[in-house]
Amino acid sequence: MAMSKPQQGDPAGFLDLVGPDLSACVFARLQDPADLARAATVSRPWRRFVEGNGFLKKVCVRKFPELAVLTAAVEVRRSPDPAPAPGPIGGGGGAEANEHRIYSHLYGALVAASPPVVCILHCVGASSTDNFPDETIDNTLEPQDRVNNRFSYWSSAGQDDPDVPETLTYRLVSDICVVDEIRIQPFKAFFQIGHPIYSSKMVRFRMGHCKLPRPSESFITDDDDNQAVIADENYIWTYTSPEFLMLQENKLQTFKLPHPALCIGGVVKIELLGRVQKQATDDRYYICVCHAQVVGRSLSPVFMVDINDSAGYSILKHLPEAKNLSVEEVMQDSASDSQEWKDALASYRETGHLATALMNVLHEGAAHPAQDAQGDAPHFPHGAALLQEIQAMQGDANLMQQLQVDAQLLYLLQDGVLQLQDDVLQDEDGLQAMDEDDDADGGGVSDNDPFA
């Protein structure tokens, strides 16, 4: 019996007429994942062909090369007995169809026009510190260059060679963030003759993850500068930026990346390359920074990354039902939730992700978190529950040390939730200390200031 020829205008017949190899070449020329997603809806054969060849993932990796470290993508459902994977026109509900669907949602999240925020949560450590802890990297989280009538900045150790680099390493608010730009403000020593500015010549950025197990990962404290952890062999870097010229100016300088970079692993290292300023008292070169910001947005909890391989290969987890979770649902498990869902949210609740929940609370208010259209402070429906959760953590000294609530979380909360809930913050050793006024403009230089 003779095989019938494809009917004119029949999209399914195109694949039979052209053949799989030439068809693959045609589909591979589609540069926009949205075009591939639309092509997959044309017919069942087209959908199976697009899904089976993984075209959508390949295009996403071309646009975001950092995705190459992902070896698998899985969907995590809240129900213990998830419904079969949806298959509109498309047929397959297997691994290939799931991967296609997950990367389709991921690309939508990557290009979404969400407002960027400052994503730094913790300071991991600096390559050197001149006077620890007075000039610790933690000072770079302060938005002002003076705090409580003292100059606030990080200073490197002095060097005779101006080409010796320095690094500042930070932990972000989640393990998967889109980073648009990084901002750095060099420090101007007003208390020295000539008011020198201790900038670097150039700056470069790396992003990746720590190879140490999360429970053993440590952060800088007033007693430990964390030198043992910041060694390069403890990290895998999946993104390296070009070098940018830094101006010798006392202002917040913006270094916009050539394209948004995906930080998988939640660690950013700022490399300060070359020194330009000597200190007159010892004739040595220093680099000093008073403020640093990593600007972007977190994709958690809808997307999370399970990094369990020392080689850096990771599993992408998609939690579509996490998009509309309340803070109470994030903080507490339900008996009806699947074990995979509980494990994912437990990871999200770890110290590295708590700030993301706080930012989500702030974003439930007006466009500007400090006031609404009438000029009043916005209403945060979950603010009280969230603050009670943080307040309960104050009894755990180790956890509070990791959370560093007195630093970055203050900037997320002080204009919103704390103004509404300051009556519950009465512990002088806890969050109340964060509400002090750090905007002092006057006062002299401390006798302990190393540059004085």
Side-chain angles (χ1 to χ4, degrees), residues 101-234:
R101 184 170 57 255
I102 291 170
Y103 275 92
S104 178
H105 288 290
L106 175 62
Y107 183 73
L110 291 172
V111 300
S114 301
V117 297
V118 177
C119 294
I120 294 177
L121 179 62
H122 293 289
C123 295
V124 177
S127 53
S128 73
T129 301
D130 189 35
N131 290 281
F132 184 85
D134 291 339
E135 296 173 338
T136 173
I137 182 180
D138 271 344
N139 294 336
T140 64
L141 299 184
E142 297 286 351
Q144 301 92 15
D145 59 4
R146 293 191 190 189
V147 176
N148 296 331
N149 295 330
R150 288 179 57 94
F151 287 100
S152 174
Y153 58 91
W154 161 82
S155 174
S156 72
Q159 296 287 345
D160 296 322
D161 183 359
D163 293 328
V164 176
E166 297 286 348
T167 63
L168 303 174
T169 305
Y170 299 93
R171 159 69 65 180
L172 302 187
V173 294
S174 95
D175 284 341
I176 180 166
C177 293
V178 180
V179 177
D180 299 305
E181 61 190 39
I182 296 177
R183 304 168 184 169
I184 304 172
Q185 182 172 347
F187 178 67
K188 183 175 184 177
F190 293 98
F191 44 81
Q192 291 185 345
I193 297 175
H195 300 169
I197 300 174
Y198 291 89
S199 64
S200 64
K201 292 180 181 178
M202 309 289 289
V203 64
R204 182 172 59 204
F205 312 109
R206 298 185 189 273
M207 304 180 197
H209 77 273
C210 182
K211 293 192 289 186
L212 300 175
R214 178 58 64 86
S216 66
E217 183 181 359
S218 58
F219 303 99
I220 196 166
T221 67
D222 287 343
D223 301 317
D224 183 7
D225 60 359
N226 213 28
Q227 287 290 314
V229 172
I230 64 171
D232 234 22
E233 58 264 24
N234 291 329

Side-chain angles (χ1 to χ4, degrees), residues 161-400:
D161 183 359
D163 293 328
V164 176
E166 297 286 348
T167 63
L168 303 174
T169 305
Y170 299 93
R171 159 69 65 180
L172 302 187
V173 294
S174 95
D175 284 341
I176 180 166
C177 293
V178 180
V179 177
D180 299 305
E181 61 190 39
I182 296 177
R183 304 168 184 169
I184 304 172
Q185 182 172 347
F187 178 67
K188 183 175 184 177
F190 293 98
F191 44 81
Q192 291 185 345
I193 297 175
H195 300 169
I197 300 174
Y198 291 89
S199 64
S200 64
K201 292 180 181 178
M202 309 289 289
V203 64
R204 182 172 59 204
F205 312 109
R206 298 185 189 273
M207 304 180 197
H209 77 273
C210 182
K211 293 192 289 186
L212 300 175
R214 178 58 64 86
S216 66
E217 183 181 359
S218 58
F219 303 99
I220 196 166
T221 67
D222 287 343
D223 301 317
D224 183 7
D225 60 359
N226 213 28
Q227 287 290 314
V229 172
I230 64 171
D232 234 22
E233 58 264 24
N234 291 329
Y235 296 88
I236 291 180
W237 305 113
T238 55
Y239 173 84
T240 301
S241 77
E243 294 182 8
F244 298 88
L245 176 67
M246 180 179 285
L247 303 178
Q248 195 174 6
E249 297 180 1
N250 180 34
K251 66 178 184 180
L252 192 62
Q253 302 178 33
T254 298
F255 303 98
K256 191 169 184 63
L257 302 180
H259 60 82
L262 191 59
C263 180
I264 297 178
V267 178
V268 170
K269 181 167 76 170
I270 298 176
E271 297 181 313
L272 302 162
L273 310 175
R275 302 161 188 248
V276 299
Q277 183 63 52
K278 277 187 175 182
Q279 181 178 234
T281 55
D282 61 2
D283 200 37
R284 306 189 82 190
Y285 289 96
Y286 290 81
I287 300 176
C288 301
V289 172
C290 59
H291 190 47
Q293 298 178 351
V294 176
V295 180
R297 51 197 170 84
S298 169
L299 300 185
S300 297
V302 177
F303 289 96
M304 301 182 68
V305 179
D306 184 7
I307 303 174
N308 55 11
D309 189 337
S310 60
Y313 296 105
S314 312
I315 297 174
L316 177 67
K317 293 185 176 181
H318 181 213
L319 288 72
E321 297 161 292
K323 186 174 183 179
N324 299 315
L325 285 182
S326 67
V327 173
E328 287 89 343
E329 290 175 309
V330 170
M331 293 299 179
Q332 296 182 359
D333 292 327
S334 171
S336 61
D337 294 342
S338 68
Q339 188 59 49
E340 293 80 5
W341 179 270
K342 292 178 181 178
D343 292 342
L345 284 192
S347 175
Y348 180 74
R349 286 192 297 266
E350 287 182 354
T351 57
H353 298 98
L354 183 58
T356 307
L358 300 180
M359 284 190 291
N360 289 341
V361 171
L362 291 181
H363 289 162
E364 291 177 5
H368 189 288
Q371 57 182 198
D372 59 17
Q374 285 72 41
D376 299 323
H379 172 62
F380 297 100
H382 307 297
L386 188 60
L387 285 176
Q388 289 173 5
E389 185 77 21
I390 297 175
Q391 198 174 26
M393 294 176 182
Q394 294 184 72
D396 187 336
N398 293 329
L399 182 57
M400 290 303 295

Side-chain angles (χ1 to χ4, degrees), residues 66-122:
E66 305 81 42
L67 290 171
V69 301
L70 300 177
T71 55
V74 298
E75 193 167 82
V76 178
R77 289 285 177 178
R78 190 168 188 177
S79 170
D81 300 309
I89 309 183
E96 295 171 344
N98 287 337
E99 182 182 84
H100 174 88
R101 184 170 57 255
I102 291 170
Y103 275 92
S104 178
H105 288 290
L106 175 62
Y107 183 73
L110 291 172
V111 300
S114 301
V117 297
V118 177
C119 294
I120 294 177
L121 179 62
H122 293 289

